[in-house]
Amino acid sequence: MQKEFLFSGFGGQGVMFAGQLLAYAAMDEGLEVTWIPSYGPEMRGGTAHCFVVISNKPIGSPVTRHPQAVVVFNNPSFTKYEGEVAPGGLLAVNSSLINQESRRTDISVLPVPATQLADSLGDLRMANVVMLGAVLEVLPALPPAAIRRALEAHLPERRRHLLEANYKALEKGAEFARSMVKSA
Amino acid sequence: MTKELLKGNIAIAEAAVRAGLEAYFGYPITPQTELLEYLSQRMTELDRVFLQAESEVAAINMVYGAACTGARVMTSSSSPGVSLMQEGMSYIAGSELPCVIVDVMRGGPGLGNILPSQADYFQVTRSAGHGDFHPIVLAPASVQEAIDFVGLAFDLADKYRHMVLLAADGQIGQMMEPAELPPMRPLQKNVPDWALTGAKAREKRVITSLYLKGEEEEAFNLKIQKKLKQIKKNEQRSVEYATEDAELLVIGFGTAGRIAYSAVEAAREKGLRVGLLRPQTLWPFPERRISELADQASGCLVVEMNAGQMVEDVRLAIGGQIPVTFYGRTGGIVPMPDEILAAIEESYSRLQIAV
């Protein structure tokens, strides 16, 4: 079992944190995991991405050309990575900010209005966690409780007051994904 | 002990602290800056020496000075910064001083870029400074191995009174993986008997790299060469995967070796008899083991993130016994497993396998 995730969006959208949260949860579940950021000359407002590989065996390459799950938060990320999703894989799209539609028929596409959902919870910054909640509902690489435990264990002290809000964001995303699957 | 999710640069820094690092001197440069940043807080917390120098040239000379006192000392940089340090590194080698230098390599030549690279293989194994010497060079492929090699680096440095380079690349520095840190070692109590500690009530000691007379310089060189010969005999290290019946032997170090592992796994799934050897020491190069494996394999493929540097050492080790092919990416491009797999299939198809 190996699962590869690519998270991509504007700097400041919490792309790195979404990947790290997944990585922490995988580690806590006793799995092997790697997390790699893009660390080129990115800046706030530019695009940034991170790669997460989760496996039950030692991980060789921490990067892959065609990840099984690609989670995009903005238009430039959609343009760049839509074509890279592995056949049969998942493309999760922040439909609040992305106005493009995938024409690929060999992958599942999950549009999530993550920014709007986060806004409805009262905090735009939660779009990343909303997305993660939705993605894990469709691609159950880890149980949702593992992400909750990872938040509990690894959310830095200065963000501690946001713990409940993060739980809610996770659930909001999962709920939305469930409603999508039902209506599909 | 439990595993933590650690970034390579931070893991190396904390591993050095736990290995008894007493003094660190450095200058920021991507992709290793987190290492220095972390130590700026951690070392002061522990009341140990942290100093951000005005340049890499100054930093390495501070390392030189601190090493003279017998302290456990380290610096870290990335490719262009290491170029600036080479003069000091040569003086340290010429004075037989132990120290650890971390090189988180990036794309070059020149300012190049900040992406992961292995283009400084020649620099670290061959030309770490003028004069006739090689540093010991350790090449980790994971965060855990980087941690383990930091402790090993300090021990080897002390054992041989020699410089040890930890040759990582931007990917190892930036990647997070679950890893386990060792327990904190106590700071060394005994200062070595060659260290400069103030000559009050004892004979004076001299640490120098200056030997004006040819005979004296030659005697010193022979002493270094004798030491290097010992190191070559004792310290060759490598790890292997699926080499038992391999017809094609793939060799790669660090990040390239790790990605090659995925490609070799995929080749095995296709039924190809392919194995991997990943050198952990670049100097001394694991030539003994490679030579043994060349006796049973029909061909060898070397994979690097450069235009072909370690491949020369592989050819020396194999001595023309089997054909050696090369696949590399340059400029900070990290090869994907599928392109290494394609190179494996290409090399494999050309093998003359005796049935």
Side-chain angles (χ1 to χ4, degrees):
Chain A
M1 185 286 299
Q2 177 163 311
K3 296 261 185 288
E4 303 121 14
F5 296 81
L6 174 74
F7 296 86
S8 183
F10 287 126
Q13 279 185 310
V15 168
M16 300 296 174
F17 181 72
Q20 276 180 8
L21 194 53
L22 187 61
Y24 275 119
M27 175 181 74
D28 294 348
E29 291 292 292
L31 295 165
E32 300 285 340
V33 62
T34 56
W35 174 91
I36 292 197
S38 58
Y39 66 91
E42 274 93 5
M43 54 186 169
R44 195 170 291 273
T47 57
H49 69 263
C50 70
F51 249 113
V52 179
V53 178
I54 299 175
S55 179
N56 54 5
K57 297 187 306 176
I59 295 167
S61 178
V63 287
T64 177
R65 196 182 305 279
H66 301 299
Q68 290 152 0
V70 171
V71 186
V72 288
F73 289 81
N74 63 0
N75 271 315
S77 301
F78 183 100
T79 308
K80 194 165 174 192
Y81 295 116
E82 184 227 0
E84 302 298 338
V85 185
L90 172 71
L91 176 68
V93 177
N94 177 13
S95 55
S96 303
L97 297 182
I98 295 172
N99 54 16
Q100 307 174 66
E101 295 226 346
S102 177
R103 261 167 287 189
R104 285 186 62 177
T105 52
D106 60 337
I107 58 170
S108 322
V109 179
L110 175 69
V112 183
T115 307
Q116 277 152 299
L117 292 174
D119 198 23
S120 75
L121 292 171
D123 193 341
L124 278 173
R125 293 173 302 174
M126 294 290 166
N128 56 348
V129 180
V130 170
M131 276 306 254
L132 188 60
V135 167
L136 289 178
E137 190 63 29
V138 179
L139 187 81
L142 292 171
I147 303 286
R148 282 178 68 103
R149 281 195 295 272
L151 277 165
E152 166 80 45
H154 305 287
L155 202 66
E157 206 51 55
R158 64 197 158 84
R159 298 263 188 259
R160 235 38 233 174
H161 61 285
L162 296 171
L163 197 56
E164 275 305 319
N166 273 285
Y167 290 160
K168 279 192 188 133
L170 259 183
E171 184 42 38
K172 192 84 180 171
E175 210 174 80
F176 179 83
R178 277 195 296 272
S179 73
M180 286 293 287
V181 173
K182 242 181 236 161
S183 65
Chain B
M1 295 301 286
T2 48
K3 286 189 173 179
E4 300 167 62
L5 191 65
L6 292 168
K7 188 174 219 184
N9 281 333
I10 309 256
I12 290 170
E14 179 60 26
V17 166
R18 296 191 184 196
L21 178 67
E22 294 173 271
Y24 172 92
F25 309 93
Y27 188 79
I29 181 170
T30 308
Q32 69 78 48
T33 298
E34 295 92 346
L35 202 167
L36 168 134
E37 183 189 24
Y38 178 86
L39 286 178
S40 69
Q41 192 189 335
R42 187 74 167 122
M43 292 293 273
T44 37
E45 220 173 71
L46 295 168
D47 209 20
R48 302 184 192 175
V49 175
F50 169 89
L51 204 154
Q52 181 176 323
E54 69 270 32
S55 72
E56 288 88 347
V57 176
I60 193 69
N61 282 290
M62 290 173 187
V63 168
Y64 185 16
C68 286
T69 70
R72 278 210 149 174
V73 53
M74 182 172 96
T75 186
S76 61
S77 191
S78 176
S79 310
V82 172
S83 292
L84 282 168
M85 290 184 179
Q86 283 180 296
E87 181 197 40
M89 285 159 70
S90 177
Y91 280 62
I92 289 169
S95 306
E96 285 194 283
L97 291 169
C99 69
V100 173
I101 297 167
V102 180
D103 184 359
V104 184
M105 292 181 201
R106 60 186 241 181
L111 263 185
N113 59 34
I114 60 176
L115 299 170
S117 171
Q118 299 180 328
D120 306 334
Y121 180 91
F122 283 151
Q123 183 180 39
V124 294
T125 62
R126 296 292 192 283
S127 61
H130 62 276
D132 224 345
F133 76 99
H134 301 273
I136 296 171
V137 184
L138 305 175
S142 67
V143 173
Q144 186 64 59
E145 208 170 47
I147 291 171
D148 298 343
F149 283 0
V150 168
L152 176 66
F154 280 109
D155 292 342
L156 291 175
D158 283 349
K159 180 176 176 188
Y160 295 105
R161 247 188 99 174
H162 200 58
M163 175 196 317
V164 181
L165 259 117
L166 191 73
D169 61 65
Q171 183 153 303
I172 309 253
Q174 296 296 323
M175 180 169 56
M176 287 178 102
E177 280 187 299
E180 196 175 317
L181 286 157
M184 183 76 95
R185 285 199 228 173
L187 293 182
Q188 56 177 3
K189 281 205 196 75
N190 302 323
V191 177
D193 59 9
W194 48 259
L196 306 186
T197 55
K200 207 171 179 183
R202 64 159 169 79
E203 283 290 297
K204 73 168 181 179
R205 297 168 185 163
V206 175
I207 292 180
T208 182
S209 67
L210 180 70
Y211 299 94
L212 286 174
K213 290 187 182 135
E215 292 77 12
E216 284 177 11
E217 182 72 289
E218 186 173 52
F220 175 72
N221 265 278
L222 290 174
K223 187 179 165 205
I224 296 189
Q225 290 307 318
K226 199 173 154 193
K227 177 164 81 178
L228 293 180
K229 208 171 157 188
Q230 276 303 111
I231 295 172
K232 215 168 176 174
K233 188 173 150 232
N234 299 340
E235 309 298 346
Q236 296 182 23
R237 288 173 166 81
S238 59
V239 289
E240 288 167 41
Y241 165 66
T243 48
E244 319 78 53
D245 62 341
E247 288 291 349
L248 181 70
L249 175 63
V250 179
I251 302 180
F253 70 94
T255 291
R258 175 179 183 143
I259 297 171
Y261 171 86
S262 290
V264 168
E265 256 192 328
R268 278 277 165 183
E269 274 166 32
K270 290 187 164 194
L272 306 185
R273 279 154 65 192
V274 181
L276 175 76
L277 178 137
R278 181 167 61 77
Q280 294 173 302
T281 50
L282 303 184
W283 206 96
F285 193 65
E287 56 193 22
R288 268 199 309 270
R289 187 58 193 148
I290 290 173
S291 171
E292 279 168 18
L293 288 171
D295 289 341
Q296 64 170 62
S298 307
C300 174
L301 168 69
V302 176
V303 181
E304 297 179 71
M305 278 144 56
N306 59 42
Q309 299 189 15
M310 182 185 70
V311 65
E312 294 192 2
D313 282 334
V314 171
R315 289 201 170 107
L316 283 171
I318 287 178
Q321 205 177 332
I322 52 173
V324 177
T325 48
F326 174 76
Y327 182 77
R329 296 296 301 262
T330 60
I333 300 288
V334 176
M336 290 285 174
D338 59 357
E339 53 191 295
I340 299 179
L341 179 61
I344 286 174
E345 289 178 310
E346 161 75 17
S347 295
Y348 199 85
S349 70
R350 283 194 259 142
L351 292 183
Q352 308 287 324
I353 300 176
V355 189

